Amino acid sequence: MKSKRRGIEIRIAEARDAAAMSTLLGELGFPSPAAVVSERLEARDVAEEKTLVATRRGNVVGLLTLHITPVLHRPTSIGRLAALVVAEHERGKGIGRALVDAAEQFFAERGCKLVEVTSNLRLVDTHSFYERLGYEATSLRFKKSLTRADPALQPTVAPSAQLPSHASRAQRD
C-alpha cells in the first residue's frame, strides 16, 4: 500500500522507520525506545496488523496503527484506528486526514464495513478532528489495568500462546 498526496507519501512502516516513530510516540505521550518500536513492528507484521507512516521528503512525520478485529456480533470484521500522531511542526497540514483516509481504504479492501477509534477524554481537539472526518461518538470505553504484584500469579505461558491471536490483541488494548 502506497499513496501520495500533496507531497505526503503514506506507506506501511518498516524497521528503518523505528527511530522516527519512537520520537512521534514520545510526542503522543508513549515514549518507547527505537529498538522496542522495531520489535513491536515485527510482531505486528506477524499478527497481520499494520502501522502506516506519513513521510514528507523522506522524513517520517506521522503514524497510525491499524487493527482488524473479527467479532461475533457483526457480519464483518471491524477496523480499528489506534495510535495516531503527527509531528507537532507538521500538524494542520492534512497529514492526519491522509493517514485516516489510507487506513479506511486499507480496511475497506479487507472487507471491514465499520471503523472505530478511541480517544482520551482530555483530547477535545482530537475529538473534533474525528468528527470533521465523519466519525461520531457512539459509546463509552472502559479499561482496567491487569498488573499482578504476586509473581506466583504470573502466567507460565505467554498470553498470546494461550489465546487466539485476535483475543490476545484485545487484551493489549
Side-chain angles (χ1 to χ4, degrees):
M1 150 184 251
K2 250 189 182 181
S3 68
K4 210 164 197 175
R5 183 167 89 178
R6 287 188 256 160
I8 301 165
E9 179 184 7
I10 307 294
R11 61 174 171 74
I12 301 294
E14 301 169 358
R16 66 185 166 105
D17 301 319
M21 293 171 63
S22 172
T23 300
L24 288 170
L25 290 169
E27 286 187 28
L28 189 59
F30 296 95
S32 301
V36 172
V37 171
S38 183
E39 289 174 15
R40 290 178 184 161
L41 270 178
E42 186 177 322
R44 291 177 57 73
D45 282 344
V46 170
E48 296 186 39
E49 296 186 354
K50 300 296 177 198
T51 300
L52 300 179
V53 291
T55 64
R56 184 190 302 277
R57 293 183 290 283
N59 297 314
V60 175
V61 294
L63 69 84
L64 175 59
T65 59
L66 314 178
H67 304 271
I68 295 178
T69 306
V71 293
L72 289 175
H73 63 287
R74 295 195 179 270
T76 65
S77 294
I78 296 173
R80 183 159 188 242
L81 308 176
L84 169 62
V85 61
V86 173
E88 189 171 358
H89 66 281
E90 292 283 351
R91 293 180 188 158
K93 299 178 182 177
I95 295 169
R97 176 181 292 270
L99 282 163
V100 172
D101 288 348
E104 290 173 353
Q105 179 182 342
F106 177 87
F107 292 137
E109 289 170 356
R110 284 153 184 83
C112 296
K113 302 289 184 205
L114 177 72
V115 179
E116 66 180 14
V117 60
T118 57
S119 180
N120 190 297
L121 292 173
R122 295 177 286 123
L123 302 176
V124 177
D125 289 342
T126 303
H127 305 165
S128 297
F129 166 78
Y130 286 118
E131 288 170 346
R132 285 191 306 274
L133 297 182
Y135 288 77
E136 61 180 315
T138 61
S139 61
L140 184 60
R141 180 177 176 192
F142 296 87
K143 73 173 190 173
K144 179 180 179 182
S145 294
L146 298 178
T147 56
R148 295 184 175 145
D150 184 353
L153 297 177
Q154 295 293 328
T156 56
V157 178
S160 59
Q162 295 174 353
L163 299 171
S165 62
H166 64 279
S168 61
R169 278 195 302 267
Q171 283 187 331
R172 291 191 301 259
D173 292 336

